[in-house]
Amino acid sequence: MEFENRDIISIHDFSTKEILHVLDVARDMVPAAQGKEEKNILGSKVMSSLFFEPSTRTRLSFEAAMKRLGGKTVGFSDAKSTSTKKGETLADTIRMAEAYSDCIVIRHFNEGAGRLAAKFSSKPVLNAGDGAGQHPTQTLLDLFTIREEKGAIKGNRVILAGDLKYGRTVHSLAYALAMFGVDMAFISPRGLEMPREFVSLVKEMGVDLYEGRDLAEAVAEGDVLYATRIQKERFPDPQEYKKMASSYRIDNEMLSGGKKGLIVMHPLPRVNEIAAEVDDTPHAVYFRQAFNGVPVRMALLALVLGARR
Ligand code: NCD
């Protein structure tokens, strides 16, 4: 298992053993992530944070992670304020970030941008979301959350609900859960189903998979309900988005049909998918899940920068 200098582009690049190692290191990071302990192991390092697409949690938790480890950050959260606006290519922007820092975190609207960025940088590149493609660091924090909340990853039945077509978090997560032999249900409105390639892949991996539309019915069987936002920005036709916008909503009434220990997760931001009343119930895990982005990203940064093995 070698992490030093490695790019983190897709969850497909990991073995289950490597994933569990990242989650173990992340657990060690929790006290420092909470500010209860000093951990200045990246004191001489700088992280570039290049966000070509909007972000709250991913960008802030990456920056917090770097700073909790004593490192520093440079970057932008709006590409309009950079030379991209003057026509600079992604390749050249990456070359600059490589020159100014020790690792590069990139979020981009084009699928494949993370992999492309890694080609132009000899320093580690961490994909923070590429279009409707992959979001591997989110998947690792999702797995960390399931493991911490439920005691293990395997043995749970996980419902992935919502926009499974354009939602990149569920693309990475479905594959990772299948690696751990987790049975799943994919529940989506018509037209937003999980792409067939992922369905075939997951089935080939031998897990039990149910596909349907009725979330209220599926809830009864689940241990984890992972809800997603309808990805407005990825719809080619705004009219299509309007039709889907309020296609499902999780509230206390719906959850009353679920198991007592059912946890509700969401990568956030939520729009209408989860009623605010759910926040005060023991089912709601999404805010703790968002915090988990810090220890998990601390683990990844420490590993790829060679400060932890
Ligand atoms: C997600 C994303 O950007 O893919 N957000 C996140 O990183 N936590 C989910 C979304 O935007 O709906």
Side-chain angles (χ1 to χ4, degrees):
M1 231 177 340
E2 185 59 54
F3 280 98
E4 188 169 357
N5 219 20
R6 189 161 148 182
D7 301 312
I8 309 293
I9 305 299
S10 163
I11 201 72
H12 297 247
D13 304 337
F14 286 82
S15 66
T16 50
K17 204 171 152 214
E18 287 172 331
I19 290 175
L20 290 171
H21 182 62
V22 174
L23 305 190
D24 286 343
V25 175
R27 189 180 280 161
D28 290 350
M29 297 291 179
V30 169
Q34 291 169 329
K36 291 180 181 158
E37 195 180 89
E38 286 243 1
K39 219 177 187 70
N40 290 328
I41 56 175
L42 294 180
S44 60
K45 303 290 185 192
V46 176
M47 174 189 98
S48 282
S49 147
L50 315 183
F51 278 74
F52 291 86
E53 257 199 344
S55 170
T56 300
R57 277 149 292 274
T58 306
R59 186 171 67 83
L60 268 62
S61 64
F62 255 119
E63 292 182 3
M66 191 63 186
K67 291 179 177 171
R68 292 288 194 197
L69 293 173
K72 292 158 193 72
T73 67
V74 292
F76 55 82
S77 54
D78 180 0
K80 285 201 287 295
S81 69
T82 71
S83 287
T84 304
K85 185 89 178 127
K86 302 181 188 170
E88 184 163 62
T89 62
L90 179 63
D92 281 359
T93 305
I94 295 299
R95 288 186 178 105
M96 296 309 105
E98 183 200 24
Y100 301 147
S101 63
D102 304 289
C103 65
I104 301 172
V105 174
I106 179 171
R107 167 170 289 190
H108 201 276
F109 42 84
N110 283 339
E111 210 168 313
R115 189 78 69 196
L116 189 72
K119 270 199 195 167
F120 297 107
S121 169
S122 61
K123 299 191 180 149
V125 171
L126 298 99
N127 177 13
D130 60 328
Q134 288 273 320
H135 195 349
T137 67
Q138 177 72 42
T139 295
L140 291 164
L141 80 88
D142 293 340
L143 295 172
F144 182 78
T145 303
I146 296 173
R147 195 185 192 208
E148 299 303 304
E149 298 285 338
K150 304 293 288 182
I153 298 170
K154 203 177 156 64
N156 293 298
R157 188 171 179 83
V158 179
I159 305 164
L160 302 182
D163 183 351
L164 307 184
K165 179 177 181 184
Y166 296 116
R168 54 191 168 201
T169 69
V170 283
H171 298 163
S172 297
L173 183 59
Y175 177 80
L177 289 171
M179 284 171 76
F180 285 94
V182 170
D183 295 334
M184 283 176 268
F186 294 166
I187 308 293
S188 58
R190 191 178 300 279
L192 295 182
E193 292 87 358
M194 182 68 85
R196 291 303 94 185
E197 63 197 89
F198 288 105
V199 173
S200 321
L201 192 65
V202 163
K203 281 189 178 158
E204 276 165 29
M205 291 164 83
V207 299
D208 181 49
L209 175 64
Y210 168 82
E211 280 194 281
R213 310 209 177 283
D214 190 342
L215 184 55
E217 187 188 279
V219 156
E221 306 287 316
D223 301 294
V224 177
L225 168 54
Y226 189 100
T228 62
R229 178 179 67 91
I230 310 285
Q231 307 281 300
K232 183 179 181 181
E233 67 276 29
R234 308 208 196 283
F235 277 71
D237 177 0
Q239 286 309 320
E240 278 303 301
Y241 168 72
K242 276 202 167 153
K243 275 195 247 161
M244 304 288 185
S246 300
S247 48
Y248 79 106
R249 185 172 169 83
I250 296 162
D251 56 18
N252 286 347
E253 195 195 324
M254 180 187 276
L255 294 176
S256 68
K259 294 185 189 172
K260 195 163 164 275
L262 172 71
I263 61 168
V264 179
M265 296 174 61
H266 193 304
L268 302 177
R270 64 173 152 179
V271 186
N272 293 313
E273 309 84 47
I274 304 178
E277 63 180 20
V278 178
D279 299 359
D280 302 321
T281 71
H283 300 296
V285 159
Y286 30 91
F287 297 128
R288 286 202 291 281
Q289 177 186 0
F291 164 77
N292 289 340
V294 181
V296 169
R297 291 178 172 121
M298 287 169 80
L300 286 168
L301 290 168
L303 287 163
V304 301
L305 291 172
R308 252 310 286 259
R309 292 193 73 83

